[in-house]
Amino acid sequence: MLTLSAFIRKMPRDISAHQFCLGATQAIRRRYKKSCLPRLADHPEDRLTASCIVFSRLRRELWMVGDCQCLVGDSYYDNPKPYEQELAEARAALITASPQPWDHFLVDDTARQAIIPRMLETMRQQNKTYSVIDGFPVAERYVRIITLDFQPWDIVLASDGYPFLCSTLAQSEQRLTEQRLSDPLNIRSFKATKAFASGFNSFDDRAYIRFKV
């Protein structure tokens, strides 16, 4: 995150989505030791990996690399990883079928542990069947680009840590709290590959920004 933030602060204002993918890739790649590159080429699951959503004011474009989400006016857009929902469904089925009390999985999520081998298999497909920034060429065909016209727009950009993205941060946080209280395992109203662990108020990283253009 810090590496990409530094790159974005310094990149040219007229940069294209393609040029951004090239520059962001190089920024991450410079963090790797050359001796590690052969292993990283064969093991994508070991790479420094990030999703990113960028708004180019000059081009009036949104670039979605990896699993992020946004609101443009009243329209919702996302760019989810393939198989993510399938894995979430599998985890939910394991918990539902388990004789263990559900509270057990808030402390020791053995259902998540059971799907980790399949999660690693999907990670080995990054920049093959979905795009991320990881120091290797971005699979740009999976970068979602949203072009805006020149009317005013309210825009929200967010990470996938908000299960229900709303037009304000307060509303998004409230929906997150409601999810934690009603379905802390994330197996009913919203299905995810992980739960709200005991003592935590979130199940994933959260980033949220709202602005007008």
Side-chain angles (χ1 to χ4, degrees), residues 1 4 9 14 33 43 62-63 66-67 77-79 86-87 134 139 150 163 175 178 183 200-201:
M1 179 273 290
L4 291 177
R9 283 196 297 270
D14 62 346
K33 294 180 180 180
H43 293 274
L62 284 163
W63 310 329
D67 53 349
Y77 301 91
D78 65 355
N79 194 30
E86 177 184 329
L87 289 168
D134 66 358
F150 286 91
R175 293 295 304 277
E178 291 170 359
D183 181 20
F200 285 73
N201 67 357

Side-chain angles (χ1 to χ4, degrees), residues 61-123:
E61 291 179 342
L62 284 163
W63 310 329
M64 306 179 77
V65 188
D67 53 349
C68 43
Q69 55 181 335
C70 68
L71 291 172
V72 180
D74 295 327
S75 298
Y76 173 79
Y77 301 91
D78 65 355
N79 194 30
K81 292 178 183 176
Y83 316 118
E84 187 85 3
Q85 194 57 41
E86 177 184 329
L87 289 168
E89 295 281 357
R91 174 179 165 273
L94 288 171
I95 293 174
T96 302
S98 173
Q100 293 275 11
W102 283 8
D103 285 352
H104 159 83
F105 295 96
L106 293 174
V107 179
D108 183 14
D109 195 344
T110 50
R112 176 174 171 80
Q113 294 167 22
I115 65 170
I116 282 178
R118 292 171 61 188
M119 292 176 66
L120 290 173
E121 286 298 322
T122 63
M123 291 171 66

Side-chain angles (χ1 to χ4, degrees), residues 26-37:
Q26 286 303 311
I28 296 297
R29 195 174 184 89
R30 285 193 290 269
R31 302 299 300 267
Y32 296 144
K33 294 180 180 180
K34 288 185 178 179
S35 60
C36 295
L37 291 175

Side-chain angles (χ1 to χ4, degrees), residues 44 82-83 120-131 139:
Y83 316 118
L120 290 173
E121 286 298 322
T122 63
M123 291 171 66
R124 293 183 185 114
Q125 297 302 309
Q126 67 188 46
N127 280 327
K128 293 180 181 178
T129 61
Y130 64 96
S131 64

